[in-house]
Amino acid sequence: MSASPETTPARPDAPAYDFRTAEPRWQRAWAERACFEAEDVPPQGRPTYYVLEMFPYPSGKIHMGHVRNYTLGDVVARYKRARGFTVLHPMGWDAFGLPAENAARERGIHPATWTFDNIAAMRAELQRMGLSLDWRREFATCQPEYYGQQQKLFLDMLRAGLVERRESWVNWDPVDQTVLANEQVIDGRGWRSGALVEKKLLSQWFLRITRYAPELLAALDGLDRWPERVRVMQAKWIGRSEGARLRFALTDAKLAGQDEVEVYTTRPDTLFGMSFLAVAPEHPLAARLAARDPRAAAFTAECRRMGTSEAVIETAEKRGYDTGLFVAHPFRPQLRCPVWIANFVLMDYGTGAIFGCPAHDQRDLDFARAYGLPVLPVVAAVPADGGQPGGPDDDAAGAIGTRAYDGPGRIVNSEFLDGLTIEDAKRRAISELERLGLGAGVVNWRLRDWGVSRQRYWGCPIPVIHCAACGVVPVPAATLPVVLPADVTFDRPGNPLDHHPTWRHVACPNCGAAARRETDTFDTFVDSSWYFARFCSPHAAEPVACAAVDRWLPVDQYIGGIEHAILHLLYARFFTRAMQATGHLSVEEPFRGLFTQGMVTHESYRDAAGKWLYPEEVERTADGTPRRRADGGAVTVGRVEAMSKSKRNTVDPGAIIDRYGADTARWFILADNPPERDMEWTEAGVAGAYRFTQRLFRLAQGLGGAACPEELPPTIGAAARTLRRATHRCVAAVTEALEGFAFNVAVARLHELANAVGEAERAQGATADAAVDLLWSRHEALRTLALLVAPMMPHLAEEIWHLLDPAAARLAAEMAWPDADPALVAAESVTIAVQVMGRLRGTLEMPPDSPEAIVLAAAAAEPNVARALEGRRVVKRVHVANRIVNFVIAG
RNA sequence: GCCCGCCUGGCGGAACGGCAGACGCAGCGGACUUAAAAUCCGCAGCCCAAAAGGCAUGGGGGUUCGAGUCCCCCGGCGGGCACCA
């Protein structure tokens, strides 16, 4: 683009703002004056504000998503600081995880070396952005100083009964050779590796998050500064439901090896519509049958391989195996229903067994149709006319085709439930089950306990020892941290800790016998579940120092991607409660305010051969046709989508900062659109932002170094008053916009003020004299502009601040937020729209709050309005003060 | 399939139920320049020669003096979850 700074020679009379020297200079000034450092325990009497952006995984380079995230947080931090808050704004590294091990396997670099090299590179890039961070608090989760404290927390939770070791069906990732929590399986694939997941039985460590399910759900209501949709997603994830557990007696206990099957249902009202019972392939009953029936074994084995991704491709693929067993119906003991093993029944939800009511559940219906099972309607839709249900036109009454009916209605064909509503029938059915001793009403949760074991090296060691005699023995607190051994090899799959010659061989702390150290490490979500608390006292000898954490927590404003809406945020909420239960802190909720930003997107490009091209490989001809820069080859412009390495539609923040500076990058990101939406990164947009930085600087230079007159002159001319009003209205508008995260609106208002300053500059030039009132007003406007722009473009703000007053004792970053003078913000006159029958026919300029009679008279007298009213009878006059008049006419 | 968003000029977007399109990007015209770039100024939703007027916030209804905004139906786009009984 022609707007590139390289091709913009500095004009001799107006040297351009040189961000290359200015940005590092101001960054040094902030550091020297410790502008962004906060005390662990800040002094009482001043309000505190904790701003936190989700800390990054140290992949090696920052990407535009980071730039957006940290810019948003920095605006908040700088703004709140100017508003008088003592601000905590830390940064650290989510430094454990698989990519480091992959690098070790692929390139022979030690995970620690790889990680710390990446951290150094990314820290340098973040520092170039000019973020107002307290770098003294920086830590990486892979440092023993951090994860050792995490081990303490774990042992406290173990003591408090919040940890459990149990055998369970888990998702096995064959590529990563590790277990994934159910929440981490996406479409049957590992959320990190993408490998198809298999089911496997393994001993695992679990954190008992389910114990907090009711509280985690109830407390969502209090999170009024969270996005509604995040709360909804969490509520659905926790998944409270009311239903019944009931036991079905098997009619041939000898064959089955057990005499009953327990089922959970949310629809006990449809029990009379039952035509089969189905258990999950992992159900104990299925396992017993498989042990003696080769065909049952073949079916369950097939289900295990299949995972869940099949269902996406083949929606109608309901598979089952008829066990030949039967259960008795609880209300009609003479009725026998067949027992199936079915691939759509989940072992982890409810009891792993269901009763099938095909008429009123789509999955059950699909299954029944596939295997020729009966369909017995028991809910009749109530006709809209309020007549009797089950009339001739009512297809829900008898005729179920391929659509199950799950709407409202009345119960039919169900003996003692007949005629009841669904809700009444549920209650009645449950009380009958209770009377018969066959079941009870229960509340069920979808949320499962959090499996935290990982068979990996690059994670926090789980601090326990397995002793043949004593069982599981916690590592004594005095010997913590359990430090990862550095000398490991990655020449074979699986966990290097298992292959280490000595590390796992230890004496039992209890009996002294030879014992084995736990070689599982924690899920990295554990690391990120309490880092926000550690930031309050990052060097404390305990996990958190109470005095600090109680002063700072909860985080006032947390900012990050929507992709963490469920897992990370839910785990952090759980961890906070668990830390409270173990006496580490006293808050319940970690994040008072949450903001979820949109993604950064970019056009994608392919050459004639279909190969993806990076944006910098593409240029535009004069008529806008894209072509390959190297050889002019044809280029197809693809969709605008999230930046990704595979599509090569990425833009490197480092290159942008080199070329335009950090302020330009920050400004464009804020200006383009509302921060919660996806933004499109465009070259033209950055160039525009760059031009604005130069323009602001030139406006400040336009004062030509003229000192600001000491006092506001007693007489203020029209031009000066116009500018002063623009200045103060801008303060009010920008303040309101920043409070509401409407950064793009703040940018628009700042453009307007810049335009007003430009006009004033010309007005002053036209008078050809130093009109002192105007000069003073321009100083005021530019001073204000510098402070208002400072949260967003901090370096340029300092540069302008310094230019206006080279002797200033304080930096712009140290100044208080400007106050708007209400007298100047108030309108001098208002434009009132005049409508006839709701259609605009004219406008009036009036003093604010003019008496209604005068406004109405003036409105009716407006020529265009008068023409529209001519010969008509006005039946109603609507007057909204300072806004609108609407005449309603007859006919 | 279920749930949640979103839909406004060429583009990003603005708009307590009250003048739709602020501000910017791209565009066009002008000034400056030998010329271009940069810069500065101005124009700009669509129809109509213009005025007047009409049409315009995905489509259709409704509530209201007045709807981009509230309600109902439909369509499209995006996202989340998914055999969750």
Side-chain angles (χ1 to χ4, degrees):
Chain A
M1 272 299 291
S2 47
S4 156
E6 277 85 355
T7 61
T8 308
R11 285 161 50 176
D13 57 324
Y17 167 53
D18 181 13
F19 67 85
R20 276 175 242 264
T21 57
E23 291 188 346
R25 185 168 69 242
W26 294 116
Q27 285 163 17
R28 277 194 303 276
W30 296 325
E32 277 162 19
R33 298 176 64 119
C35 289
F36 312 129
E37 294 181 3
E39 299 305 311
D40 280 4
V41 184
Q44 295 290 330
R46 270 182 55 162
T48 59
Y49 201 90
Y50 186 178
V51 191
L52 184 67
E53 302 96 56
M54 292 179 183
F55 68 163
Y57 178 78
S59 58
K61 289 196 121 189
I62 63 171
H63 55 68
M64 278 302 170
H66 292 129
V67 176
R68 195 175 199 200
N69 194 177
Y70 302 134
T71 298
L72 295 173
D74 201 45
V75 172
V76 174
R78 287 176 179 271
Y79 169 71
K80 290 292 178 183
R81 215 172 270 121
R83 293 302 302 250
F85 290 87
T86 300
V87 170
L88 177 60
H89 188 210
M91 179 59 69
W93 310 96
D94 188 15
F96 274 135
L98 208 51
E101 280 189 55
N102 292 340
R105 288 182 201 280
E106 288 159 21
R107 284 177 278 154
I109 310 169
H110 193 278
T113 311
W114 185 84
T115 301
F116 285 107
D117 285 354
N118 285 348
I119 287 174
M122 288 177 72
R123 183 196 300 115
E125 287 192 282
L126 289 183
Q127 286 177 337
R128 290 184 66 203
M129 284 181 63
L131 303 171
S132 64
L133 293 164
D134 183 353
W135 282 103
R136 300 172 311 158
R137 293 171 184 272
E138 175 190 9
F139 61 75
T141 56
C142 64
Q143 293 167 323
E145 294 74 26
Y146 181 80
Y147 70 70
Q149 302 299 336
Q150 184 165 304
Q151 291 168 342
K152 275 190 211 169
L153 290 178
F154 175 80
L155 294 177
D156 285 348
M157 290 184 200
L158 188 64
R159 267 187 292 278
L162 291 170
V163 179
E164 208 169 67
R165 184 169 175 79
R166 68 169 103 108
E167 261 205 344
S168 74
W169 285 100
V170 295
N171 299 294
W172 179 253
D173 186 320
V175 169
D176 289 349
Q177 295 274 299
T178 192
V179 174
L180 302 173
N182 278 307
E183 295 87 350
Q184 292 168 330
V185 179
I186 314 279
D187 291 339
R189 292 173 184 276
W191 79 299
R192 279 201 201 273
S193 73
L196 278 171
V197 168
E198 298 165 1
K199 293 201 166 87
K200 191 174 172 176
L201 201 57
L202 219 67
S203 268
Q204 296 286 300
W205 288 103
F206 283 84
L207 299 186
R208 298 179 66 184
I209 189 173
T210 53
R211 202 188 250 203
Y212 290 92
E215 290 161 75
L216 289 168
L217 179 67
L220 287 172
D221 287 339
L223 297 176
D224 56 346
R225 287 183 49 227
W226 280 38
E228 176 65 19
R229 72 181 167 132
V230 174
R231 290 188 289 169
V232 169
M233 284 162 79
Q234 292 219 346
K236 287 188 176 295
W237 193 265
I238 295 167
R240 182 183 193 275
S241 68
E242 289 179 6
R245 271 182 188 244
L246 62 153
R247 290 182 301 281
F248 286 87
L250 282 153
T251 57
D252 194 338
K254 231 177 281 169
L255 248 179
Q258 62 186 76
D259 53 19
E260 57 186 25
V261 180
E262 192 173 38
V263 153
Y264 172 75
T265 180
T266 56
R267 293 297 302 271
D269 56 307
T270 63
L271 258 170
F272 284 100
M274 171 180 183
S275 61
F276 64 94
L277 185 144
V279 300
E282 301 85 7
H283 194 279
L285 178 63
R288 266 192 208 99
L289 291 169
R292 82 185 62 145
D293 177 352
R295 290 192 301 143
F299 180 73
T300 55
E302 190 191 322
C303 290
R304 201 166 303 159
R305 260 198 315 279
M306 204 167 64
T308 52
S309 62
E310 289 274 341
V312 177
I313 308 155
E314 291 169 297
T315 49
E317 186 67 276
K318 298 275 186 295
R319 308 274 317 274
Y321 176 77
D322 187 350
T323 65
L325 298 169
F326 290 89
V327 289
H329 191 281
F331 297 149
R332 283 173 175 156
Q334 73 287 359
L335 177 66
R336 304 193 326 152
C337 294
V339 176
W340 288 67
I341 302 169
N343 64 351
F344 67 94
V345 179
L346 301 177
M347 190 59 219
D348 285 326
Y349 188 80
T351 61
I354 63 156
F355 80 79
C357 175
H360 306 294
D361 182 285
Q362 191 60 46
R363 289 155 308 180
D364 295 351
L365 182 62
D366 293 344
F367 189 74
R369 292 296 183 220
Y371 292 100
L373 295 161
V375 177
L376 316 163
V378 291
V379 180
V382 177
D385 60 13
Q388 286 300 302
D393 298 334
D394 189 349
D395 62 351
I400 297 287
T402 54
R403 295 287 301 174
Y405 179 74
D406 59 2
R410 297 275 176 176
I411 304 298
V412 295
N413 304 327
S414 298
E415 302 183 4
F416 58 89
L417 300 178
D418 281 350
L420 297 179
T421 63
I422 289 172
E423 283 313 308
D424 288 344
K426 282 180 180 174
R427 275 190 287 275
R428 180 77 179 81
I430 287 170
S431 67
E432 185 66 11
L433 287 169
E434 285 169 350
R435 195 184 63 79
L436 293 167
L438 292 174
V442 293
V443 169
N444 192 56
W445 302 85
R446 178 184 176 277
L447 184 69
R448 289 187 278 265
D449 277 334
W450 176 14
V452 292
S453 290
R454 297 293 179 272
Q455 291 66 43
R456 287 185 202 148
Y457 166 69
W458 196 234
C460 170
I462 297 177
V464 296
I465 289 161
H466 300 275
C467 170
C470 308
V472 169
V473 181
V475 171
T479 63
L480 289 180
V482 177
V483 178
L484 279 177
D487 52 335
V488 285
T489 55
F490 294 89
D491 44 11
R492 45 185 164 152
N495 186 353
L497 291 176
D498 280 333
H499 311 144
H500 193 280
T502 57
W503 187 75
R504 62 193 180 130
H505 303 301
V506 289
C508 171
N510 231 14
C511 67
R516 186 175 57 79
R517 197 182 278 292
E518 172 67 68
T519 55
D520 283 356
T521 52
F522 283 122
D523 175 10
T524 57
F525 272 120
V526 176
D527 310 338
S528 56
S529 290
W530 70 287
Y531 77 106
F532 49 88
R534 181 70 181 168
F535 272 140
C536 300
S537 52
H539 310 297
E542 61 263 80
V544 294
C546 286
V549 83
D550 287 343
R551 190 80 168 90
W552 287 113
L553 285 184
V555 173
D556 293 282
Q557 186 63 61
Y558 196 37
I559 306 172
I562 187 74
E563 67 272 19
H564 290 116
I566 297 176
L567 299 183
H568 162 59
L569 291 169
L570 195 60
Y571 292 151
R573 296 181 62 218
F574 158 66
F575 235 80
T576 304
R577 284 168 170 77
M579 287 174 76
Q580 187 200 44
T582 50
H584 290 284
L585 43 72
S586 58
V587 296
E588 282 193 340
E589 283 293 336
F591 313 120
R592 262 188 46 70
L594 173 70
F595 188 88
T596 52
Q597 68 187 74
M599 294 182 300
V600 182
T601 66
H602 197 285
E603 275 183 337
S604 52
Y605 309 100
R606 312 177 87 143
D607 66 12
K611 196 173 82 78
W612 298 104
L613 298 174
Y614 286 106
E616 62 263 29
E617 296 178 284
V618 177
E619 63 180 4
R620 299 265 179 181
T621 58
D623 65 345
T625 313
R627 66 179 185 196
R628 187 157 52 199
R629 199 180 288 278
D631 57 7
V635 168
T636 317
V637 177
R639 329 187 328 167
V640 173
E641 54 191 316
M643 287 188 181
S644 77
K645 287 204 178 81
S646 61
K647 302 279 173 65
R648 298 199 163 183
N649 61 338
T650 56
V651 173
D652 172 29
I656 295 295
I657 293 175
D658 285 343
R659 192 164 171 205
Y660 296 104
D663 282 343
T664 293
R666 295 169 59 122
W667 187 253
F668 173 50
I669 270 182
L670 295 164
D672 189 59
N673 69 347
E676 67 275 13
R677 293 196 209 168
D678 290 352
M679 76 162 287
E680 186 186 351
W681 187 273
T682 61
E683 189 63 20
V686 200
Y690 177 77
R691 283 197 300 271
F692 186 69
T693 64
Q694 296 296 329
R695 178 152 178 253
L696 272 192
F697 186 74
R698 277 195 307 272
L699 286 172
Q701 278 186 318
L703 285 171
C708 181
E710 287 288 321
E711 298 285 334
L712 175 61
T715 50
I716 305 287
R721 195 171 57 211
T722 301
L723 181 57
R724 292 208 68 206
R725 291 172 44 74
T727 300
H728 287 261
R729 301 191 96 156
C730 186
V731 171
V734 169
T735 303
E736 188 189 334
L738 293 190
E739 291 283 352
F741 266 72
F743 303 122
N744 57 323
V745 178
V747 164
R749 299 288 90 88
L750 288 162
H751 270 282
E752 285 171 349
L753 182 54
N755 290 342
V757 173
E759 250 170 75
E761 187 179 286
R762 285 197 302 285
Q764 188 129 54
T767 62
D769 67 356
V772 178
D773 60 337
L774 193 49
L775 189 62
W776 193 94
S777 305
R778 286 169 64 200
H779 262 282
E780 179 191 40
L782 282 161
R783 226 167 35 234
T784 306
L785 200 43
L787 296 179
L788 294 182
V789 107
M792 302 186 250
M793 295 199 284
H795 312 89
L796 178 63
E798 296 290 358
E799 195 74 9
I800 292 173
W801 188 251
H802 181 73
L803 191 65
L804 294 175
D805 182 6
R810 288 196 287 166
L811 300 175
E814 296 167 320
M815 295 298 295
W817 193 247
D819 285 319
D821 180 346
L824 289 167
V825 173
E828 285 186 321
S829 77
V830 293
T831 309
I832 296 171
V834 184
Q835 299 178 338
V836 177
M837 292 299 277
R839 308 196 66 108
L840 184 72
R841 294 299 176 212
T843 58
L844 298 173
E845 277 298 314
M846 303 286 284
D849 303 317
S850 300
E852 180 167 274
I854 293 177
V855 173
L856 289 177
E862 210 277 335
N864 230 12
V865 177
R867 180 150 21 103
L869 293 178
E870 200 176 328
R872 306 299 194 104
R873 186 165 60 86
V874 176
V875 296
K876 187 172 180 181
R877 294 170 178 82
V878 180
H879 175 230
V880 179
N882 301 326
R883 290 199 175 272
I884 204 160
V885 170
N886 188 13
F887 294 108
V888 184
I889 55 183

